[in-house]
């Protein structure tokens, strides 16, 4: 059985090699190549003359260079950044050295400042270090300042 399969395989292989050899020998494209080569050999080049136009290069250059917007930038530079907003005043620095004591009479508290070391009683509406007293409670004094239509407040604890 193996001998029959080997013989059949050899016969098929020889047949394939024979077909490939025949295709190389009897290639139909070879005839077309020869005919194309003969036709190309009979073609003679034709000289075509084009009339030379006289271009006015210097006139064009002068016309382009004379344009006023030629050297301006295509995209204008960005506008300068807006000015930085003014920072709000530092309320803590304005009341540095100011103390609110527990001593008080009614809605007034005793406020000690560096200019008035003994202290004086102040109530709602009085000004301390540039800040206005807005409220007086038992534990703190609320101070405020109107700045650019805003009400800035800070709390000063009573000691």
């Amino acid at each position: 059985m193996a001998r029959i399969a080997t013989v059949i395989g050899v016969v098929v292989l020889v047949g394939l090699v024979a077909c490939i050899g025949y295709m190389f020998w009897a290639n139909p494209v070879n005839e077309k190549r020869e005919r194309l080569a003969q036709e190309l050999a009979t073609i003679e080049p034709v000289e075509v003359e084009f009339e030379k136009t006289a271009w006015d290069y210097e006139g064009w250059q002068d016309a382009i260079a004379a344009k006023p917007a030629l050297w301006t930038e295509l995209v204008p530079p960005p506008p300068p950044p807006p000015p930085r907003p003014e920072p709000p005043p530092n309320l803590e620095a304005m009341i540095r050295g100011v103390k609110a004591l527990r001593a008080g009479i009614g809605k007034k508290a005793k406020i000690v400042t560096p200019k008035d070391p003994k202290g004086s009683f102040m109530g709602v509406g009085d000004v301390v270090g540039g800040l206005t007293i807005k409220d007086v409670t038992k534990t703190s004094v609320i101070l405020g300042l109107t700045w650019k239509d805003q009400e800035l407040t800070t709390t000063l604890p009573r000691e």
Side-chain angles (χ1 to χ4, degrees):
M1 189 71 143
R3 192 176 273 174
I4 295 173
T6 305
V7 171
I8 291 174
V10 169
V11 169
V12 170
L13 182 64
V14 168
L16 285 174
V17 169
C19 282
I20 292 172
Y22 177 73
M23 294 304 264
F24 277 119
W25 178 72
N27 191 351
V29 178
N30 287 338
E31 293 176 16
K32 291 182 181 179
R33 281 188 190 145
E34 288 176 20
R35 190 175 24 155
L36 180 63
Q38 290 172 358
E39 287 179 15
L40 287 175
T42 61
I43 296 176
E44 294 181 12
V46 177
E47 296 224 7
V48 179
E49 290 191 25
F50 295 101
E51 62 182 63
K52 184 171 180 169
T53 17
W55 300 105
D56 185 19
Y57 294 112
E58 291 181 13
W60 293 346
Q61 175 68 26
D62 293 340
I64 291 171
K67 293 190 179 205
L70 178 65
W71 302 111
T72 59
E73 63 272 354
L74 296 176
V75 178
R84 300 183 86 181
E86 182 182 345
N90 187 355
L91 301 182
E92 304 300 323
M94 293 173 76
I95 59 169
R96 189 170 290 132
V98 176
K99 295 180 185 177
L101 302 179
R102 289 256 180 214
I105 301 173
K107 287 297 269 177
K108 292 189 173 194
K110 188 168 192 178
I111 307 290
V112 176
T113 62
K115 292 181 182 178
D116 185 14
K118 290 186 177 183
S120 58
F121 291 98
M122 297 184 175
V124 176
D126 291 336
V127 177
V128 178
L131 303 176
T132 306
I133 298 175
K134 296 294 180 184
D135 192 19
V136 178
T137 64
K138 290 189 179 219
T139 58
S140 63
V141 175
I142 298 173
L143 303 167
L145 174 69
T146 303
W147 179 76
K148 291 190 177 182
D149 298 331
Q150 293 179 350
E151 185 68 30
L152 305 175
T153 60
T154 186
T155 303
L156 187 64
R158 291 176 78 173
E159 299 175 3

